[in-house]
PDB file of all heavy atoms in Angstrom:
ATOM      1  N   LEU A   1     -12.227-144.414 -13.635  1.00  0.00           N
ATOM      2  CA  LEU A   1     -13.463-143.736 -13.260  1.00  0.00           C
ATOM      3  C   LEU A   1     -13.860-142.748 -14.363  1.00  0.00           C
ATOM      4  O   LEU A   1     -15.030-142.563 -14.662  1.00  0.00           O
ATOM      5  CB  LEU A   1     -13.332-142.942 -11.934  1.00  0.00           C
ATOM      6  CG  LEU A   1     -13.239-143.796 -10.756  1.00  0.00           C
ATOM      7  CD1 LEU A   1     -12.900-143.019  -9.470  1.00  0.00           C
ATOM      8  CD2 LEU A   1     -14.476-144.650 -10.525  1.00  0.00           C
ATOM      9  N   SER A   2     -12.858-142.089 -15.014  1.00  0.00           N
ATOM     10  CA  SER A   2     -13.201-141.264 -16.130  1.00  0.00           C
ATOM     11  C   SER A   2     -13.761-141.991 -17.257  1.00  0.00           C
ATOM     12  O   SER A   2     -14.715-141.534 -17.879  1.00  0.00           O
ATOM     13  CB  SER A   2     -11.922-140.544 -16.536  1.00  0.00           C
ATOM     14  OG  SER A   2     -12.143-139.677 -17.753  1.00  0.00           O
ATOM     15  N   ALA A   3     -13.247-143.208 -17.566  1.00  0.00           N
ATOM     16  CA  ALA A   3     -13.723-144.083 -18.654  1.00  0.00           C
ATOM     17  C   ALA A   3     -15.157-144.470 -18.286  1.00  0.00           C
ATOM     18  O   ALA A   3     -15.939-144.678 -19.265  1.00  0.00           O
ATOM     19  CB  ALA A   3     -12.840-145.235 -18.771  1.00  0.00           C
ATOM     20  N   LEU A   4     -15.545-144.557 -17.059  1.00  0.00           N
ATOM     21  CA  LEU A   4     -16.937-144.900 -16.728  1.00  0.00           C
ATOM     22  C   LEU A   4     -17.845-143.644 -16.788  1.00  0.00           C
ATOM     23  O   LEU A   4     -19.044-143.789 -16.538  1.00  0.00           O
ATOM     24  CB  LEU A   4     -16.996-145.476 -15.317  1.00  0.00           C
ATOM     25  CG  LEU A   4     -16.308-146.917 -15.130  1.00  0.00           C
ATOM     26  CD1 LEU A   4     -16.408-147.282 -13.647  1.00  0.00           C
ATOM     27  CD2 LEU A   4     -16.984-147.924 -16.019  1.00  0.00           C
ATOM     28  N   ARG A   5     -17.293-142.523 -17.129  1.00  0.00           N
ATOM     29  CA  ARG A   5     -18.050-141.290 -17.108  1.00  0.00           C
ATOM     30  C   ARG A   5     -18.419-140.832 -15.756  1.00  0.00           C
ATOM     31  O   ARG A   5     -19.429-140.061 -15.558  1.00  0.00           O
ATOM     32  CB  ARG A   5     -19.256-141.345 -18.030  1.00  0.00           C
ATOM     33  CG  ARG A   5     -18.964-141.682 -19.445  1.00  0.00           C
ATOM     34  CD  ARG A   5     -18.198-140.590 -20.183  1.00  0.00           C
ATOM     35  NE  ARG A   5     -18.057-140.904 -21.620  1.00  0.00           N
ATOM     36  CZ  ARG A   5     -17.030-141.585 -22.169  1.00  0.00           C
ATOM     37  NH1 ARG A   5     -16.010-142.043 -21.381  1.00  0.00           N
ATOM     38  NH2 ARG A   5     -16.984-141.719 -23.452  1.00  0.00           N
ATOM     39  N   HIS A   6     -17.658-141.188 -14.744  1.00  0.00           N
ATOM     40  CA  HIS A   6     -17.863-140.807 -13.424  1.00  0.00           C
ATOM     41  C   HIS A   6     -16.525-140.351 -12.733  1.00  0.00           C
ATOM     42  O   HIS A   6     -16.036-141.035 -11.818  1.00  0.00           O
ATOM     43  CB  HIS A   6     -18.526-141.928 -12.495  1.00  0.00           C
ATOM     44  CG  HIS A   6     -19.854-142.334 -13.000  1.00  0.00           C
ATOM     45  ND1 HIS A   6     -21.032-141.518 -12.707  1.00  0.00           N
ATOM     46  CD2 HIS A   6     -20.347-143.304 -13.704  1.00  0.00           C
ATOM     47  CE1 HIS A   6     -22.069-142.111 -13.263  1.00  0.00           C
ATOM     48  NE2 HIS A   6     -21.687-143.229 -13.872  1.00  0.00           N
ATOM     49  N   PRO A   7     -15.952-139.292 -13.195  1.00  0.00           N
ATOM     50  CA  PRO A   7     -14.625-138.878 -12.754  1.00  0.00           C
ATOM     51  C   PRO A   7     -14.681-138.518 -11.267  1.00  0.00           C
ATOM     52  O   PRO A   7     -15.723-138.081 -10.730  1.00  0.00           O
ATOM     53  CB  PRO A   7     -14.241-137.717 -13.689  1.00  0.00           C
ATOM     54  CG  PRO A   7     -15.558-137.163 -14.144  1.00  0.00           C
ATOM     55  CD  PRO A   7     -16.471-138.353 -14.225  1.00  0.00           C
ATOM     56  N   CYS A   8     -13.489-138.508 -10.657  1.00  0.00           N
ATOM     57  CA  CYS A   8     -13.452-138.006  -9.319  1.00  0.00           C
ATOM     58  C   CYS A   8     -13.751-136.548  -9.256  1.00  0.00           C
ATOM     59  O   CYS A   8     -13.429-135.784 -10.163  1.00  0.00           O
ATOM     60  CB  CYS A   8     -11.943-138.147  -8.753  1.00  0.00           C
ATOM     61  SG  CYS A   8     -11.314-139.771  -8.520  1.00  0.00           S
ATOM     62  N   VAL A   9     -14.601-136.144  -8.353  1.00  0.00           N
ATOM     63  CA  VAL A   9     -14.933-134.709  -8.155  1.00  0.00           C
ATOM     64  C   VAL A   9     -13.626-133.991  -8.092  1.00  0.00           C
ATOM     65  O   VAL A   9     -12.714-134.216  -7.385  1.00  0.00           O
ATOM     66  CB  VAL A   9     -15.779-134.460  -6.915  1.00  0.00           C
ATOM     67  CG1 VAL A   9     -15.910-133.026  -6.615  1.00  0.00           C
ATOM     68  CG2 VAL A   9     -17.199-135.131  -7.031  1.00  0.00           C
ATOM     69  N   GLY A  10     -13.558-132.862  -8.852  1.00  0.00           N
ATOM     70  CA  GLY A  10     -12.512-131.928  -8.861  1.00  0.00           C
ATOM     71  C   GLY A  10     -11.251-132.358  -9.740  1.00  0.00           C
ATOM     72  O   GLY A  10     -10.270-131.634  -9.892  1.00  0.00           O
ATOM     73  N   ASP A  11     -11.388-133.547 -10.356  1.00  0.00           N
ATOM     74  CA  ASP A  11     -10.313-134.019 -11.270  1.00  0.00           C
ATOM     75  C   ASP A  11     -10.456-133.438 -12.699  1.00  0.00           C
ATOM     76  O   ASP A  11     -10.924-134.137 -13.566  1.00  0.00           O
ATOM     77  CB  ASP A  11     -10.300-135.565 -11.252  1.00  0.00           C
ATOM     78  CG  ASP A  11      -8.972-136.133 -11.913  1.00  0.00           C
ATOM     79  OD1 ASP A  11      -8.147-135.250 -12.307  1.00  0.00           O
ATOM     80  OD2 ASP A  11      -8.798-137.332 -11.919  1.00  0.00           O
ATOM     81  N   LEU A  12     -10.124-132.198 -12.899  1.00  0.00           N
ATOM     82  CA  LEU A  12     -10.319-131.520 -14.145  1.00  0.00           C
ATOM     83  C   LEU A  12      -9.500-132.180 -15.259  1.00  0.00           C
ATOM     84  O   LEU A  12      -9.867-132.095 -16.434  1.00  0.00           O
ATOM     85  CB  LEU A  12      -9.962-130.057 -13.993  1.00  0.00           C
ATOM     86  CG  LEU A  12     -10.712-129.277 -12.828  1.00  0.00           C
ATOM     87  CD1 LEU A  12     -10.440-127.838 -12.947  1.00  0.00           C
ATOM     88  CD2 LEU A  12     -12.177-129.573 -12.845  1.00  0.00           C
ATOM     89  N   THR A  13      -8.381-132.759 -14.909  1.00  0.00           N
ATOM     90  CA  THR A  13      -7.549-133.395 -15.942  1.00  0.00           C
ATOM     91  C   THR A  13      -8.276-134.569 -16.610  1.00  0.00           C
ATOM     92  O   THR A  13      -8.116-134.771 -17.803  1.00  0.00           O
ATOM     93  CB  THR A  13      -6.253-133.940 -15.327  1.00  0.00           C
ATOM     94  OG1 THR A  13      -5.535-132.863 -14.793  1.00  0.00           O
ATOM     95  CG2 THR A  13      -5.366-134.671 -16.366  1.00  0.00           C
ATOM     96  N   TYR A  14      -9.120-135.260 -15.855  1.00  0.00           N
ATOM     97  CA  TYR A  14      -9.901-136.429 -16.386  1.00  0.00           C
ATOM     98  C   TYR A  14     -11.348-136.172 -16.547  1.00  0.00           C
ATOM     99  O   TYR A  14     -12.166-137.114 -16.431  1.00  0.00           O
ATOM    100  CB  TYR A  14      -9.572-137.590 -15.561  1.00  0.00           C
ATOM    101  CG  TYR A  14      -8.143-138.149 -15.811  1.00  0.00           C
ATOM    102  CD1 TYR A  14      -7.167-137.822 -14.903  1.00  0.00           C
ATOM    103  CD2 TYR A  14      -7.882-138.832 -16.885  1.00  0.00           C
ATOM    104  CE1 TYR A  14      -5.848-138.330 -15.069  1.00  0.00           C
ATOM    105  CE2 TYR A  14      -6.577-139.328 -17.155  1.00  0.00           C
ATOM    106  CZ  TYR A  14      -5.573-139.039 -16.244  1.00  0.00           C
ATOM    107  OH  TYR A  14      -4.244-139.502 -16.491  1.00  0.00           O
ATOM    108  N   GLY A  15     -11.742-134.864 -16.784  1.00  0.00           N
ATOM    109  CA  GLY A  15     -13.120-134.595 -17.230  1.00  0.00           C
ATOM    110  C   GLY A  15     -14.134-134.198 -16.189  1.00  0.00           C
ATOM    111  O   GLY A  15     -15.368-134.222 -16.404  1.00  0.00           O
ATOM    112  N   ALA A  16     -13.682-133.945 -14.936  1.00  0.00           N
ATOM    113  CA  ALA A  16     -14.578-133.508 -13.925  1.00  0.00           C
ATOM    114  C   ALA A  16     -15.251-132.157 -14.280  1.00  0.00           C
ATOM    115  O   ALA A  16     -14.649-131.297 -14.913  1.00  0.00           O
ATOM    116  CB  ALA A  16     -13.906-133.498 -12.591  1.00  0.00           C
ATOM    117  N   ASP A  17     -16.362-131.882 -13.672  1.00  0.00           N
ATOM    118  CA  ASP A  17     -17.144-130.593 -13.917  1.00  0.00           C
ATOM    119  C   ASP A  17     -16.542-129.526 -13.025  1.00  0.00           C
ATOM    120  O   ASP A  17     -16.670-129.659 -11.757  1.00  0.00           O
ATOM    121  CB  ASP A  17     -18.627-130.873 -13.669  1.00  0.00           C
ATOM    122  CG  ASP A  17     -19.416-129.586 -13.804  1.00  0.00           C
ATOM    123  OD1 ASP A  17     -18.896-128.569 -14.197  1.00  0.00           O
ATOM    124  OD2 ASP A  17     -20.685-129.681 -13.523  1.00  0.00           O
ATOM    125  N   PRO A  18     -15.990-128.553 -13.575  1.00  0.00           N
ATOM    126  CA  PRO A  18     -15.405-127.455 -12.737  1.00  0.00           C
ATOM    127  C   PRO A  18     -16.428-126.709 -11.907  1.00  0.00           C
ATOM    128  O   PRO A  18     -16.074-126.189 -10.816  1.00  0.00           O
ATOM    129  CB  PRO A  18     -14.660-126.561 -13.727  1.00  0.00           C
ATOM    130  CG  PRO A  18     -15.322-126.831 -15.031  1.00  0.00           C
ATOM    131  CD  PRO A  18     -15.784-128.239 -15.025  1.00  0.00           C
ATOM    132  N   VAL A  19     -17.618-126.560 -12.441  1.00  0.00           N
ATOM    133  CA  VAL A  19     -18.654-125.897 -11.648  1.00  0.00           C
ATOM    134  C   VAL A  19     -19.101-126.669 -10.426  1.00  0.00           C
ATOM    135  O   VAL A  19     -19.131-126.050  -9.345  1.00  0.00           O
ATOM    136  CB  VAL A  19     -19.914-125.674 -12.569  1.00  0.00           C
ATOM    137  CG1 VAL A  19     -21.048-125.027 -11.766  1.00  0.00           C
ATOM    138  CG2 VAL A  19     -19.547-124.790 -13.768  1.00  0.00           C
ATOM    139  N   LEU A  20     -19.192-127.967 -10.528  1.00  0.00           N
ATOM    140  CA  LEU A  20     -19.537-128.734  -9.332  1.00  0.00           C
ATOM    141  C   LEU A  20     -18.321-128.767  -8.311  1.00  0.00           C
ATOM    142  O   LEU A  20     -18.633-128.623  -7.136  1.00  0.00           O
ATOM    143  CB  LEU A  20     -19.771-130.234  -9.754  1.00  0.00           C
ATOM    144  CG  LEU A  20     -20.092-131.209  -8.604  1.00  0.00           C
ATOM    145  CD1 LEU A  20     -21.295-130.751  -7.798  1.00  0.00           C
ATOM    146  CD2 LEU A  20     -20.144-132.645  -9.003  1.00  0.00           C
ATOM    147  N   ALA A  21     -17.166-128.810  -8.808  1.00  0.00           N
ATOM    148  CA  ALA A  21     -15.955-128.749  -7.926  1.00  0.00           C
ATOM    149  C   ALA A  21     -15.998-127.464  -7.176  1.00  0.00           C
ATOM    150  O   ALA A  21     -15.695-127.388  -5.910  1.00  0.00           O
ATOM    151  CB  ALA A  21     -14.719-128.871  -8.753  1.00  0.00           C
ATOM    152  N   GLN A  22     -16.301-126.342  -7.845  1.00  0.00           N
ATOM    153  CA  GLN A  22     -16.284-125.037  -7.177  1.00  0.00           C
ATOM    154  C   GLN A  22     -17.473-124.977  -6.139  1.00  0.00           C
ATOM    155  O   GLN A  22     -17.246-124.454  -5.017  1.00  0.00           O
ATOM    156  CB  GLN A  22     -16.457-123.938  -8.215  1.00  0.00           C
ATOM    157  CG  GLN A  22     -16.358-122.571  -7.618  1.00  0.00           C
ATOM    158  CD  GLN A  22     -16.402-121.481  -8.661  1.00  0.00           C
ATOM    159  OE1 GLN A  22     -17.033-121.644  -9.761  1.00  0.00           O
ATOM    160  NE2 GLN A  22     -15.878-120.323  -8.440  1.00  0.00           N
ATOM    161  N   ARG A  23     -18.586-125.542  -6.486  1.00  0.00           N
ATOM    162  CA  ARG A  23     -19.802-125.542  -5.516  1.00  0.00           C
ATOM    163  C   ARG A  23     -19.374-126.316  -4.252  1.00  0.00           C
ATOM    164  O   ARG A  23     -19.858-126.000  -3.185  1.00  0.00           O
ATOM    165  CB  ARG A  23     -20.983-126.113  -6.213  1.00  0.00           C
ATOM    166  CG  ARG A  23     -21.627-125.218  -7.272  1.00  0.00           C
ATOM    167  CD  ARG A  23     -22.711-125.907  -7.942  1.00  0.00           C
ATOM    168  NE  ARG A  23     -23.791-126.330  -7.057  1.00  0.00           N
ATOM    169  CZ  ARG A  23     -24.781-127.132  -7.387  1.00  0.00           C
ATOM    170  NH1 ARG A  23     -24.826-127.685  -8.659  1.00  0.00           N
ATOM    171  NH2 ARG A  23     -25.732-127.350  -6.541  1.00  0.00           N
ATOM    172  N   LEU A  24     -18.623-127.380  -4.385  1.00  0.00           N
ATOM    173  CA  LEU A  24     -18.280-128.243  -3.297  1.00  0.00           C
ATOM    174  C   LEU A  24     -16.972-127.877  -2.592  1.00  0.00           C
ATOM    175  O   LEU A  24     -16.574-128.389  -1.532  1.00  0.00           O
ATOM    176  CB  LEU A  24     -18.139-129.736  -3.726  1.00  0.00           C
ATOM    177  CG  LEU A  24     -19.444-130.276  -4.318  1.00  0.00           C
ATOM    178  CD1 LEU A  24     -19.193-131.762  -4.706  1.00  0.00           C
ATOM    179  CD2 LEU A  24     -20.622-130.142  -3.420  1.00  0.00           C
ATOM    180  N   GLY A  25     -16.310-126.779  -3.125  1.00  0.00           N
ATOM    181  CA  GLY A  25     -15.033-126.362  -2.522  1.00  0.00           C
ATOM    182  C   GLY A  25     -13.908-127.264  -2.670  1.00  0.00           C
ATOM    183  O   GLY A  25     -12.968-127.383  -1.835  1.00  0.00           O
ATOM    184  N   VAL A  26     -13.873-127.926  -3.807  1.00  0.00           N
ATOM    185  CA  VAL A  26     -12.843-128.936  -4.090  1.00  0.00           C
ATOM    186  C   VAL A  26     -11.831-128.345  -5.150  1.00  0.00           C
ATOM    187  O   VAL A  26     -12.326-127.920  -6.196  1.00  0.00           O
ATOM    188  CB  VAL A  26     -13.334-130.255  -4.598  1.00  0.00           C
ATOM    189  CG1 VAL A  26     -12.217-131.261  -4.879  1.00  0.00           C
ATOM    190  CG2 VAL A  26     -14.345-130.855  -3.606  1.00  0.00           C
ATOM    191  N   ASP A  27     -10.555-128.268  -4.811  1.00  0.00           N
ATOM    192  CA  ASP A  27      -9.612-127.767  -5.772  1.00  0.00           C
ATOM    193  C   ASP A  27      -8.534-128.760  -6.117  1.00  0.00           C
ATOM    194  O   ASP A  27      -7.444-128.446  -6.606  1.00  0.00           O
ATOM    195  CB  ASP A  27      -8.905-126.502  -5.174  1.00  0.00           C
ATOM    196  CG  ASP A  27      -8.184-126.690  -3.980  1.00  0.00           C
ATOM    197  OD1 ASP A  27      -8.105-127.897  -3.460  1.00  0.00           O
ATOM    198  OD2 ASP A  27      -7.734-125.747  -3.384  1.00  0.00           O
ATOM    199  N   ARG A  28      -8.833-130.086  -5.947  1.00  0.00           N
ATOM    200  CA  ARG A  28      -8.056-131.157  -6.463  1.00  0.00           C
ATOM    201  C   ARG A  28      -8.891-132.467  -6.569  1.00  0.00           C
ATOM    202  O   ARG A  28     -10.004-132.395  -6.149  1.00  0.00           O
ATOM    203  CB  ARG A  28      -6.830-131.388  -5.448  1.00  0.00           C
ATOM    204  CG  ARG A  28      -7.249-131.607  -3.979  1.00  0.00           C
ATOM    205  CD  ARG A  28      -7.098-132.955  -3.470  1.00  0.00           C
ATOM    206  NE  ARG A  28      -7.049-133.044  -1.987  1.00  0.00           N
ATOM    207  CZ  ARG A  28      -6.789-134.090  -1.340  1.00  0.00           C
ATOM    208  NH1 ARG A  28      -6.449-135.263  -1.925  1.00  0.00           N
ATOM    209  NH2 ARG A  28      -6.745-134.098  -0.005  1.00  0.00           N
ATOM    210  N   GLN A  29      -8.334-133.461  -7.082  1.00  0.00           N
ATOM    211  CA  GLN A  29      -9.176-134.721  -7.247  1.00  0.00           C
ATOM    212  C   GLN A  29      -9.570-135.209  -5.791  1.00  0.00           C
ATOM    213  O   GLN A  29      -8.622-135.287  -4.969  1.00  0.00           O
ATOM    214  CB  GLN A  29      -8.470-135.821  -8.026  1.00  0.00           C
ATOM    215  CG  GLN A  29      -7.187-136.369  -7.426  1.00  0.00           C
ATOM    216  CD  GLN A  29      -5.942-135.854  -8.076  1.00  0.00           C
ATOM    217  OE1 GLN A  29      -5.971-134.801  -8.751  1.00  0.00           O
ATOM    218  NE2 GLN A  29      -4.845-136.661  -7.944  1.00  0.00           N
ATOM    219  N   TRP A  30     -10.770-135.598  -5.655  1.00  0.00           N
ATOM    220  CA  TRP A  30     -11.245-136.150  -4.362  1.00  0.00           C
ATOM    221  C   TRP A  30     -10.915-137.618  -4.286  1.00  0.00           C
ATOM    222  O   TRP A  30     -11.649-138.507  -4.748  1.00  0.00           O
ATOM    223  CB  TRP A  30     -12.789-135.920  -4.172  1.00  0.00           C
ATOM    224  CG  TRP A  30     -13.259-135.833  -2.751  1.00  0.00           C
ATOM    225  CD1 TRP A  30     -13.789-134.756  -2.188  1.00  0.00           C
ATOM    226  CD2 TRP A  30     -13.227-136.942  -1.804  1.00  0.00           C
ATOM    227  NE1 TRP A  30     -14.107-135.121  -0.930  1.00  0.00           N
ATOM    228  CE2 TRP A  30     -13.776-136.401  -0.557  1.00  0.00           C
ATOM    229  CE3 TRP A  30     -12.866-138.282  -1.779  1.00  0.00           C
ATOM    230  CZ2 TRP A  30     -13.924-137.167   0.546  1.00  0.00           C
ATOM    231  CZ3 TRP A  30     -12.955-139.004  -0.619  1.00  0.00           C
ATOM    232  CH2 TRP A  30     -13.529-138.494   0.521  1.00  0.00           C
ATOM    233  N   LEU A  31      -9.651-137.870  -3.889  1.00  0.00           N
ATOM    234  CA  LEU A  31      -9.171-139.249  -3.870  1.00  0.00           C
ATOM    235  C   LEU A  31      -8.162-139.353  -2.719  1.00  0.00           C
ATOM    236  O   LEU A  31      -7.237-138.594  -2.589  1.00  0.00           O
ATOM    237  CB  LEU A  31      -8.444-139.540  -5.244  1.00  0.00           C
ATOM    238  CG  LEU A  31      -7.854-140.960  -5.404  1.00  0.00           C
ATOM    239  CD1 LEU A  31      -8.928-141.977  -5.234  1.00  0.00           C
ATOM    240  CD2 LEU A  31      -7.117-141.054  -6.694  1.00  0.00           C
ATOM    241  N   HIS A  32      -8.368-140.353  -1.886  1.00  0.00           N
ATOM    242  CA  HIS A  32      -7.635-140.578  -0.679  1.00  0.00           C
ATOM    243  C   HIS A  32      -7.195-142.016  -0.450  1.00  0.00           C
ATOM    244  O   HIS A  32      -8.142-142.893  -0.577  1.00  0.00           O
ATOM    245  CB  HIS A  32      -8.402-140.013   0.563  1.00  0.00           C
ATOM    246  CG  HIS A  32      -7.633-140.014   1.818  1.00  0.00           C
ATOM    247  ND1 HIS A  32      -6.577-139.198   2.045  1.00  0.00           N
ATOM    248  CD2 HIS A  32      -7.844-140.753   2.994  1.00  0.00           C
ATOM    249  CE1 HIS A  32      -6.125-139.398   3.244  1.00  0.00           C
ATOM    250  NE2 HIS A  32      -6.873-140.330   3.809  1.00  0.00           N
ATOM    251  N   ALA A  33      -5.898-142.243  -0.209  1.00  0.00           N
ATOM    252  CA  ALA A  33      -5.449-143.644   0.115  1.00  0.00           C
ATOM    253  C   ALA A  33      -5.836-143.891   1.528  1.00  0.00           C
ATOM    254  O   ALA A  33      -5.085-143.517   2.482  1.00  0.00           O
ATOM    255  CB  ALA A  33      -3.937-143.701  -0.114  1.00  0.00           C
ATOM    256  N   LYS A  34      -6.962-144.525   1.760  1.00  0.00           N
ATOM    257  CA  LYS A  34      -7.583-144.698   3.012  1.00  0.00           C
ATOM    258  C   LYS A  34      -6.978-145.754   3.921  1.00  0.00           C
ATOM    259  O   LYS A  34      -6.786-145.615   5.165  1.00  0.00           O
ATOM    260  CB  LYS A  34      -9.064-144.961   2.809  1.00  0.00           C
ATOM    261  CG  LYS A  34      -9.890-145.257   4.105  1.00  0.00           C
ATOM    262  CD  LYS A  34     -10.089-143.997   4.920  1.00  0.00           C
ATOM    263  CE  LYS A  34     -11.074-144.274   6.092  1.00  0.00           C
ATOM    264  NZ  LYS A  34     -11.102-143.105   7.003  1.00  0.00           N
ATOM    265  N   ARG A  35      -6.652-146.915   3.326  1.00  0.00           N
ATOM    266  CA  ARG A  35      -6.172-148.009   4.061  1.00  0.00           C
ATOM    267  C   ARG A  35      -5.027-148.811   3.319  1.00  0.00           C
ATOM    268  O   ARG A  35      -5.082-148.912   2.062  1.00  0.00           O
ATOM    269  CB  ARG A  35      -7.328-149.032   4.381  1.00  0.00           C
ATOM    270  CG  ARG A  35      -7.111-150.114   5.369  1.00  0.00           C
ATOM    271  CD  ARG A  35      -8.458-150.589   5.931  1.00  0.00           C
ATOM    272  NE  ARG A  35      -9.377-151.052   4.880  1.00  0.00           N
ATOM    273  CZ  ARG A  35     -10.453-150.422   4.634  1.00  0.00           C
ATOM    274  NH1 ARG A  35     -10.845-149.345   5.245  1.00  0.00           N
ATOM    275  NH2 ARG A  35     -11.312-150.818   3.679  1.00  0.00           N
TER     276      ARG A  35
END
């Protein structure tokens, strides 16, 4: 996702915008093993 220039929200290690993460209240990568 980082290579596509669309990193997971909150994933600062891979280039996410820290300002957007803060606005959304995210303090880790928004990624969940759903199924």
Side-chain angles (χ1 to χ4, degrees):
L1 291 173
S2 177
L4 293 177
R5 303 293 189 267
H6 297 283
C8 294
V9 169
D11 193 358
L12 306 188
T13 298
Y14 286 101
D17 179 359
V19 175
L20 178 61
Q22 185 176 28
R23 289 174 61 191
L24 300 182
V26 180
D27 58 7
R28 52 112 161 186
Q29 66 255 20
W30 206 114
L31 181 61
H32 184 67
K34 176 71 173 169
R35 192 159 53 248

